[in-house]
């Protein structure tokens, strides 16, 4: 198994299971290559030829954030899906540290080019991605709320869905959240600020209707679950942050209302 890159090792706050999942990504994708003549990207106005040459001449673990960010803003053509697959472990390594490689939003990293490749991945690659996304979401729900991130937890769900990945590992974490302040904030935000996600499945970026319906059903189950209701109840009654308690109380009322509704058979 490959060792995590120096950038990852330099972040002592990253949990070991997430580090291990990234190492497994590098190992699982080790036989992937760039497209012929790649990376396939716009070098007229979006990325410098020099940056693309550095990517072409480097092992994935050694590609810099700035060069990879340029690529993600310039990916195009028939080779893009192949290149994104080759670069995927490095991309997700930076994502794990809280960085967004594309200024349009984390969720837009793969929406345009990556989905056709999911069915072409082998079983080990798919399993490595499932473990990574589960560990990434769990990290976001256990990390200290004061940590600054370039994206919110729901962009992890959108990135997974818009990239054509398996969304269930992320939803599984939301279904069984840890009893932490970050989890309270995330579930509260889901209930109060992302009504379009769980009431009618709108708001997801470049996600198929089938996937949106699946996430809609699962998010409704998350909100109505006894685990969510208990988490919000404890937060609503906790001393300390009055604003968090008030929001949790309101979310708790909505969650209890959803729990009383008959569930589809």
């Amino acid at each position: 198994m490959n060792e995590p890159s120096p950038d990852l090792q330099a972040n002592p706050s990253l949990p070991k299971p997430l580090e291990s999942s990234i190492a497994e990504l590098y190992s699982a994708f080790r036989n992937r290559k760039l497209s012929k003549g790649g990376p396939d990207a716009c070098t007229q106005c979006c990325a410098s030829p020099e940056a693309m040459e550095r990517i072409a001449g480097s092992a994935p673990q050694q590609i810099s954030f700035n060069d990879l960010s340029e690529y993600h803003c310039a990916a195009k053509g028939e080779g893009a899906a192949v290149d994104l697959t080759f670069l995927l472990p490095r991309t997700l390594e930076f994502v794990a540290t809280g960085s967004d490689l594309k200024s349009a939003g984390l969720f837009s990293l793969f929406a345009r080019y990556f989905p056709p490749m999911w069915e072409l991945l082998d079983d080990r690659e798919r399993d490595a991605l499932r473990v990574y996304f589960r560990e990434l979401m769990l990290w976001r729900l256990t990390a200290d709320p004061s940590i600054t991130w370039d994206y919110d937890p729901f962009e992890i769900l959108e990135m997974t869905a818009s990239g054509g990945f398996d969304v269930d590992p992320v939803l599984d974490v939301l279904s069984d959240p840890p009893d932490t302040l970050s989890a309270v904030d995330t579930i509260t935000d889901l209930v109060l600020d992302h009504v379009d996600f769980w009431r009618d499945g709108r708001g997801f970026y470049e996600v198929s209707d089938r996937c949106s319906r699946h996430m809609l059903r699962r998010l409704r189950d998350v909100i109505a679950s006894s685990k969510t209701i208990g988490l919000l109840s404890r937060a609503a009654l906790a001393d300390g942050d009055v604003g968090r308690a008030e929001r949790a109380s309101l979310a708790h009322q909505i969650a209890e209302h959803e729990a009383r509704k008959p569930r589809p058979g």
Side-chain angles (χ1 to χ4, degrees), residues 168-237:
D168 282 323
V170 176
L171 292 165
D172 288 345
V173 175
L174 286 170
S175 297
D176 187 23
D179 196 350
T180 63
L181 291 179
S182 289
V184 168
D185 291 344
T186 298
I187 297 296
T188 301
D189 289 347
L190 170 64
V191 176
L192 300 183
D193 301 332
H194 294 289
V195 176
D196 53 342
F197 284 1
W198 59 268
R199 279 210 174 139
D200 55 20
R202 291 186 299 105
F204 294 111
Y205 181 84
E206 293 289 334
V207 175
S208 69
D209 289 342
R210 180 180 179 183
C211 185
S212 291
R213 288 193 298 271
H214 177 69
M215 290 193 290
L216 171 64
R217 289 192 296 270
R218 290 217 55 189
L219 288 174
R220 283 177 174 173
D221 288 342
V222 167
I223 290 169
S225 73
S226 59
K227 190 76 182 267
T228 292
I229 290 171
L231 184 75
L232 294 173
S233 177
R234 289 189 294 276
L237 297 173

XYZ file of all heavy atoms in Angstrom, residues 168-237:
552
model
N -24.474 6.022 -1.332
C -24.929 5.396 -0.090
C -23.922 5.466 1.051
O -24.340 5.625 2.212
C -25.370 3.961 -0.349
C -26.752 3.891 -0.978
O -27.609 4.712 -0.601
O -26.979 3.034 -1.838
N -22.607 5.343 0.826
C -21.684 5.477 1.960
C -21.789 6.826 2.668
O -21.669 6.893 3.897
C -20.306 5.289 1.313
C -20.557 4.402 0.138
C -21.894 4.870 -0.391
N -22.019 7.910 1.923
C -22.187 9.228 2.530
C -23.509 9.293 3.288
O -23.583 9.777 4.422
C -22.136 10.332 1.457
C -22.402 11.698 2.062
C -20.789 10.317 0.742
N -24.555 8.766 2.687
C -25.868 8.775 3.328
C -25.896 7.866 4.556
O -26.607 8.145 5.521
C -26.933 8.357 2.319
C -27.177 9.373 1.192
C -27.952 8.732 0.052
C -27.914 10.592 1.712
N -25.118 6.793 4.520
C -25.043 5.905 5.686
C -24.494 6.648 6.902
O -24.950 6.421 8.037
C -24.152 4.696 5.384
C -24.805 3.712 4.425
O -26.028 3.800 4.200
O -24.067 2.852 3.880
N -23.525 7.525 6.685
C -22.963 8.301 7.795
C -24.000 9.275 8.334
O -24.153 9.434 9.553
C -21.690 9.048 7.353
C -21.169 9.951 8.473
C -20.603 8.057 6.948
N -24.744 9.926 7.445
C -25.807 10.826 7.896
C -26.905 10.062 8.637
O -27.548 10.607 9.539
C -26.409 11.557 6.698
C -25.567 12.674 6.072
C -26.190 13.135 4.765
C -25.411 13.846 7.035
N -27.105 8.809 8.281
C -28.134 8.002 8.930
C -27.745 7.580 10.338
O -28.617 7.280 11.163
C -28.422 6.744 8.096
O -28.937 7.079 6.838
N -26.451 7.526 10.603
C -25.964 7.109 11.916
C -24.903 8.108 12.389
O -23.738 7.762 12.560
C -25.385 5.698 11.828
C -25.024 5.127 13.192
O -25.585 5.598 14.208
O -24.172 4.216 13.248
N -25.296 9.357 12.609
C -24.320 10.409 12.893
C -23.715 10.259 14.284
O -24.382 9.789 15.210
C -25.143 11.692 12.802
C -26.523 11.260 13.192
C -26.682 9.873 12.639
N -22.454 10.671 14.443
C -21.861 10.678 15.779
C -22.499 11.775 16.625
O -23.075 12.723 16.100
C -20.379 10.985 15.497
C -20.408 11.747 14.205
C -21.536 11.164 13.413
N -22.393 11.646 17.924
C -22.987 12.635 18.836
C -21.979 13.757 19.061
O -21.339 13.851 20.104
C -23.361 11.964 20.156
C -24.325 12.813 20.976
O -24.542 13.981 20.601
O -24.851 12.317 21.985
N -21.839 14.618 18.054
C -20.861 15.705 18.078
C -21.525 17.002 17.670
O -22.601 17.004 17.057
C -19.703 15.433 17.099
O -20.234 15.390 15.750
C -19.002 14.105 17.407
N -20.879 18.121 17.983
C -21.420 19.419 17.591
C -21.466 19.567 16.072
O -22.404 20.159 15.521
C -20.588 20.542 18.210
C -20.692 20.704 19.726
C -19.786 21.843 20.194
C -22.134 20.959 20.165
N -20.446 19.051 15.387
C -20.442 19.149 13.920
C -21.606 18.378 13.318
O -22.223 18.825 12.338
C -19.112 18.624 13.362
O -18.058 19.511 13.648
N -21.907 17.221 13.896
C -23.054 16.449 13.404
C -24.357 17.193 13.680
O -25.253 17.233 12.833
C -23.067 15.069 14.051
N -24.476 17.783 14.866
C -25.665 18.583 15.188
C -25.839 19.703 14.178
O -26.943 19.922 13.639
C -25.563 19.165 16.614
C -26.650 20.226 16.848
C -25.670 18.058 17.657
N -24.748 20.424 13.900
C -24.837 21.537 12.957
C -25.231 21.055 11.565
O -26.033 21.692 10.872
C -23.494 22.271 12.889
C -23.177 23.026 14.173
O -24.099 23.232 14.991
O -21.995 23.405 14.359
N -24.656 19.927 11.135
C -24.939 19.409 9.801
C -26.381 18.954 9.677
O -27.071 19.297 8.698
C -23.992 18.239 9.471
O -22.641 18.707 9.471
C -24.311 17.645 8.099
N -26.867 18.184 10.638
C -28.253 17.715 10.582
C -29.226 18.892 10.697
O -30.248 18.943 9.995
C -28.513 16.685 11.693
C -27.633 15.444 11.496
C -29.983 16.301 11.728
C -27.901 14.668 10.236
N -28.906 19.859 11.568
C -29.754 21.048 11.697
C -29.803 21.814 10.380
O -30.878 22.255 9.944
C -29.240 21.960 12.823
O -29.233 21.246 14.055
C -30.115 23.197 12.967
N -28.644 21.980 9.754
C -28.605 22.657 8.453
C -29.431 21.907 7.410
O -30.116 22.529 6.587
C -27.165 22.790 7.965
C -26.351 23.798 8.757
O -26.956 24.583 9.522
O -25.107 23.796 8.629
N -29.352 20.577 7.429
C -30.143 19.782 6.490
C -31.629 20.068 6.672
O -32.342 20.350 5.705
C -29.866 18.291 6.707
C -30.792 17.321 5.956
C -30.620 17.480 4.449
C -30.521 15.875 6.378
N -32.093 20.019 7.905
C -33.525 20.178 8.176
C -34.001 21.591 7.868
O -35.057 21.785 7.241
C -33.828 19.825 9.645
C -35.307 20.079 9.958
C -33.473 18.368 9.936
N -33.222 22.589 8.269
C -33.697 23.975 8.176
C -33.298 24.675 6.880
O -34.060 25.503 6.364
C -33.159 24.791 9.362
C -33.561 24.315 10.757
C -32.997 25.280 11.807
C -35.066 24.201 10.890
N -32.109 24.359 6.359
C -31.570 25.155 5.250
C -31.545 24.423 3.913
O -31.228 25.033 2.887
C -30.137 25.609 5.585
C -30.087 26.435 6.861
O -31.097 27.088 7.173
O -29.042 26.424 7.542
N -31.831 23.135 3.912
C -31.806 22.364 2.657
C -33.130 21.642 2.457
O -33.162 20.458 2.112
C -30.640 21.374 2.663
C -29.292 22.030 2.648
N -28.799 22.683 1.534
C -28.336 22.150 3.605
C -27.593 23.171 1.809
N -27.301 22.864 3.054
N -34.211 22.380 2.665
C -35.544 21.802 2.513
C -35.745 21.268 1.106
O -36.410 20.238 0.894
C -36.620 22.850 2.865
C -38.009 22.284 2.615
C -36.480 23.280 4.321
N -35.166 21.951 0.109
C -35.336 21.499 -1.268
C -34.718 20.124 -1.489
O -35.174 19.358 -2.342
C -34.745 22.509 -2.250
C -33.301 22.878 -1.943
O -32.859 22.630 -0.809
O -32.623 23.425 -2.832
N -33.685 19.777 -0.717
C -33.061 18.460 -0.863
C -34.015 17.341 -0.453
O -34.132 16.328 -1.134
C -31.799 18.355 0.006
C -30.594 19.071 -0.527
C -30.633 19.800 -1.704
C -29.390 19.005 0.157
C -29.517 20.462 -2.178
C -28.262 19.658 -0.304
C -28.324 20.395 -1.474
N -34.663 17.507 0.723
C -35.392 16.370 1.287
C -36.902 16.427 1.118
O -37.587 15.448 1.436
C -35.036 16.179 2.763
C -35.306 17.346 3.678
C -34.437 18.337 4.015
C -36.510 17.611 4.395
N -35.028 19.222 4.886
C -36.307 18.795 5.154
C -37.748 16.961 4.498
C -37.293 19.343 5.976
C -38.734 17.505 5.317
C -38.491 18.680 6.044
N -37.434 17.532 0.609
C -38.885 17.589 0.382
C -39.258 17.251 -1.061
O -40.292 16.641 -1.297
C -39.422 18.979 0.742
C -39.626 19.133 2.240
C -40.741 20.077 2.589
N -40.973 20.082 4.028
C -41.212 21.168 4.729
N -41.272 22.341 4.129
N -41.423 21.077 6.033
N -38.441 17.675 -2.014
C -38.783 17.376 -3.406
C -37.588 16.990 -4.260
O -37.723 16.808 -5.468
C -39.514 18.558 -4.048
C -38.740 19.860 -3.945
O -37.517 19.808 -3.725
O -39.361 20.921 -4.086
N -36.394 16.833 -3.635
C -35.229 16.364 -4.383
C -34.620 17.390 -5.317
O -33.819 17.048 -6.181
N -34.986 18.648 -5.153
C -34.393 19.694 -5.990
C -33.090 20.183 -5.356
O -32.808 19.943 -4.196
C -35.353 20.881 -6.130
C -36.588 20.608 -6.951
C -37.399 21.876 -7.141
N -37.861 22.427 -5.867
C -37.331 23.509 -5.282
N -36.316 24.152 -5.833
N -37.826 23.948 -4.136
N -32.312 20.918 -6.138
C -31.154 21.605 -5.600
C -29.842 20.882 -5.783
O -28.781 21.460 -5.537
N -29.882 19.628 -6.214
C -28.633 18.912 -6.446
C -28.082 19.275 -7.817
O -28.807 19.301 -8.800
C -28.852 17.398 -6.358
C -29.223 16.921 -4.988
C -30.498 16.429 -4.737
C -28.316 16.969 -3.946
C -30.852 15.990 -3.466
C -28.665 16.542 -2.680
C -29.925 16.049 -2.438
N -26.777 19.501 -7.874
C -26.134 19.999 -9.097
C -25.805 18.846 -10.047
O -25.052 17.928 -9.692
C -24.850 20.734 -8.709
C -24.079 21.323 -9.866
C -24.412 22.566 -10.391
C -22.997 20.644 -10.425
C -23.690 23.117 -11.437
C -22.279 21.186 -11.477
C -22.623 22.425 -11.977
O -21.902 22.952 -13.016
N -26.372 18.901 -11.270
C -26.064 17.932 -12.314
C -26.190 16.489 -11.811
O -25.290 15.656 -11.984
C -24.644 18.175 -12.851
C -24.464 19.488 -13.609
C -25.152 19.498 -14.957
O -25.344 18.413 -15.533
O -25.505 20.585 -15.426
N -27.330 16.181 -11.192
C -27.581 14.840 -10.672
C -28.770 14.256 -11.414
O -29.769 14.945 -11.646
C -27.850 14.880 -9.150
C -28.241 13.511 -8.624
C -26.618 15.383 -8.414
N -28.696 12.988 -11.768
C -29.774 12.352 -12.516
C -31.053 12.300 -11.675
O -31.012 12.308 -10.440
C -29.375 10.931 -12.918
O -29.312 10.088 -11.778
N -32.190 12.216 -12.348
C -33.474 12.135 -11.646
C -33.523 10.891 -10.765
O -34.042 10.937 -9.643
C -34.624 12.101 -12.653
C -34.826 13.431 -13.349
O -34.327 14.446 -12.837
O -35.468 13.454 -14.412
N -32.986 9.802 -11.237
C -33.002 8.554 -10.461
C -32.206 8.710 -9.167
O -32.672 8.317 -8.095
C -32.432 7.422 -11.305
C -32.399 6.081 -10.583
C -31.827 5.012 -11.467
N -31.758 3.726 -10.787
C -31.248 2.629 -11.314
N -30.772 2.657 -12.556
N -31.214 1.504 -10.635
N -31.025 9.304 -9.275
C -30.200 9.509 -8.083
C -30.853 10.510 -7.140
O -30.828 10.325 -5.917
C -28.804 9.987 -8.485
S -27.652 10.135 -7.109
N -31.457 11.565 -7.686
C -32.136 12.553 -6.844
C -33.262 11.913 -6.058
O -33.453 12.196 -4.865
C -32.694 13.693 -7.702
O -31.660 14.482 -8.234
N -34.032 11.044 -6.701
C -35.134 10.370 -6.003
C -34.598 9.467 -4.892
O -35.174 9.389 -3.803
C -35.976 9.568 -6.996
C -36.827 10.421 -7.926
C -37.856 9.586 -8.657
N -37.244 8.581 -9.514
C -36.904 8.783 -10.790
N -37.126 9.965 -11.355
N -36.370 7.814 -11.504
N -33.512 8.785 -5.177
C -32.913 7.916 -4.164
C -32.436 8.727 -2.960
O -32.707 8.364 -1.808
C -31.737 7.146 -4.781
C -31.007 6.275 -3.805
N -31.563 5.147 -3.261
C -29.756 6.390 -3.267
C -30.697 4.578 -2.428
N -29.600 5.310 -2.405
N -31.760 9.838 -3.219
C -31.292 10.675 -2.111
C -32.462 11.289 -1.355
O -32.407 11.435 -0.128
C -30.352 11.759 -2.641
C -29.008 11.210 -3.113
S -27.773 12.501 -3.383
C -28.438 13.298 -4.837
N -33.509 11.669 -2.080
C -34.702 12.226 -1.443
C -35.274 11.250 -0.426
O -35.551 11.610 0.723
C -35.741 12.564 -2.515
C -37.135 12.962 -2.043
C -37.088 14.252 -1.258
C -38.072 13.090 -3.241
N -35.431 9.995 -0.829
C -35.992 8.987 0.080
C -35.087 8.786 1.290
O -35.557 8.723 2.431
C -36.176 7.660 -0.669
C -37.297 7.651 -1.687
C -37.597 6.256 -2.169
N -36.468 5.667 -2.878
C -36.276 5.768 -4.187
N -37.140 6.460 -4.922
N -35.242 5.198 -4.757
N -33.811 8.703 1.041
C -32.900 8.437 2.146
C -32.785 9.626 3.099
O -32.695 9.458 4.308
C -31.525 8.036 1.613
C -31.519 6.654 0.963
C -30.248 5.889 1.237
N -29.952 5.766 2.656
C -28.809 5.287 3.125
N -27.867 4.888 2.279
N -28.582 5.192 4.417
N -32.783 10.835 2.567
C -32.698 12.013 3.431
C -33.952 12.172 4.277
O -33.881 12.594 5.438
C -32.446 13.269 2.590
C -31.051 13.384 1.987
C -30.964 14.588 1.042
C -29.975 13.491 3.060
N -35.102 11.839 3.731
C -36.320 11.873 4.535
C -36.224 10.876 5.684
O -36.640 11.162 6.813
C -37.536 11.545 3.661
C -37.975 12.705 2.777
C -39.125 12.288 1.890
N -39.662 13.416 1.138
C -40.586 13.295 0.178
N -41.054 12.098 -0.126
N -41.023 14.355 -0.466
N -35.668 9.700 5.392
C -35.485 8.699 6.445
C -34.499 9.181 7.500
O -34.670 8.915 8.693
C -35.006 7.384 5.838
C -36.094 6.671 5.048
O -37.282 6.988 5.241
O -35.745 5.795 4.222
N -33.449 9.874 7.050
C -32.473 10.426 7.996
C -33.156 11.381 8.962
O -32.980 11.301 10.187
C -31.332 11.152 7.239
C -30.499 12.005 8.195
C -30.434 10.147 6.535
N -33.945 12.295 8.438
C -34.580 13.324 9.266
C -35.578 12.710 10.237
O -35.690 13.141 11.389
C -35.248 14.377 8.365
C -34.164 15.192 7.652
C -36.175 15.289 9.164
C -34.683 16.078 6.552
N -36.297 11.684 9.803
C -37.340 11.090 10.637
C -36.820 10.008 11.574
O -37.601 9.437 12.340
C -38.429 10.502 9.743
N -35.533 9.719 11.558
C -35.005 8.606 12.343
C -34.925 8.955 13.825
O -34.778 10.122 14.214
C -33.614 8.218 11.839
O -32.656 9.197 12.211
N -35.000 7.935 14.662
C -34.873 8.143 16.102
C -33.486 8.665 16.462
O -33.335 9.419 17.425
C -35.146 6.835 16.844
O -34.250 5.813 16.448
N -32.466 8.292 15.667
C -31.104 8.767 15.922
C -31.026 10.283 15.737
O -30.456 11.001 16.564
C -30.124 8.070 14.971
C -28.657 8.281 15.287
C -28.234 7.439 16.467
C -26.772 7.680 16.816
N -25.846 6.754 16.175
N -31.629 10.779 14.657
C -31.639 12.222 14.404
C -32.452 12.954 15.473
O -32.006 13.988 15.995
C -32.231 12.509 13.011
O -31.329 12.029 12.009
C -32.460 14.001 12.807
N -33.599 12.449 15.787
C -34.461 13.111 16.773
C -33.765 13.172 18.131
O -33.805 14.203 18.823
C -35.813 12.382 16.872
C -36.606 12.617 15.575
C -36.613 12.861 18.081
C -37.861 11.782 15.451
N -33.101 12.101 18.532
C -32.365 12.110 19.792
C -31.215 13.085 19.792
O -30.990 13.811 20.774
N -30.474 13.138 18.673
C -29.341 14.065 18.547
C -29.801 15.504 18.671
O -29.215 16.311 19.414
C -28.645 13.844 17.201
C -27.383 14.660 16.919
C -26.199 14.105 17.701
C -27.067 14.649 15.420
N -30.882 15.849 17.976
C -31.397 17.214 18.008
C -31.998 17.550 19.368
O -31.877 18.691 19.842
C -32.437 17.404 16.902
C -31.906 17.315 15.465
C -33.065 17.355 14.471
C -30.917 18.436 15.173
N -32.638 16.594 19.990
C -33.221 16.824 21.318
C -32.144 17.161 22.336
O -32.285 18.113 23.123
C -34.003 15.584 21.762
O -34.519 15.756 23.071
N -31.058 16.399 22.331
C -29.971 16.663 23.286
C -29.343 18.027 23.028
O -29.010 18.756 23.966
C -28.913 15.561 23.191
C -29.399 14.226 23.759
C -28.272 13.225 23.847
N -27.760 12.832 22.542
C -28.297 11.889 21.776
N -29.397 11.237 22.167
N -27.753 11.564 20.624
N -29.193 18.388 21.758
C -28.603 19.684 21.425
C -29.518 20.832 21.830
O -29.059 21.886 22.285
C -28.301 19.751 19.928
N -30.823 20.620 21.678
C -31.785 21.667 22.030
C -31.800 21.939 23.527
O -32.080 23.065 23.963
C -33.178 21.261 21.558
N -31.486 20.926 24.319
C -31.523 21.069 25.773
C -30.166 21.369 26.389
O -30.069 21.594 27.607
C -32.071 19.773 26.396
C -33.509 19.405 26.016
C -33.852 18.029 26.557
C -34.487 20.460 26.506
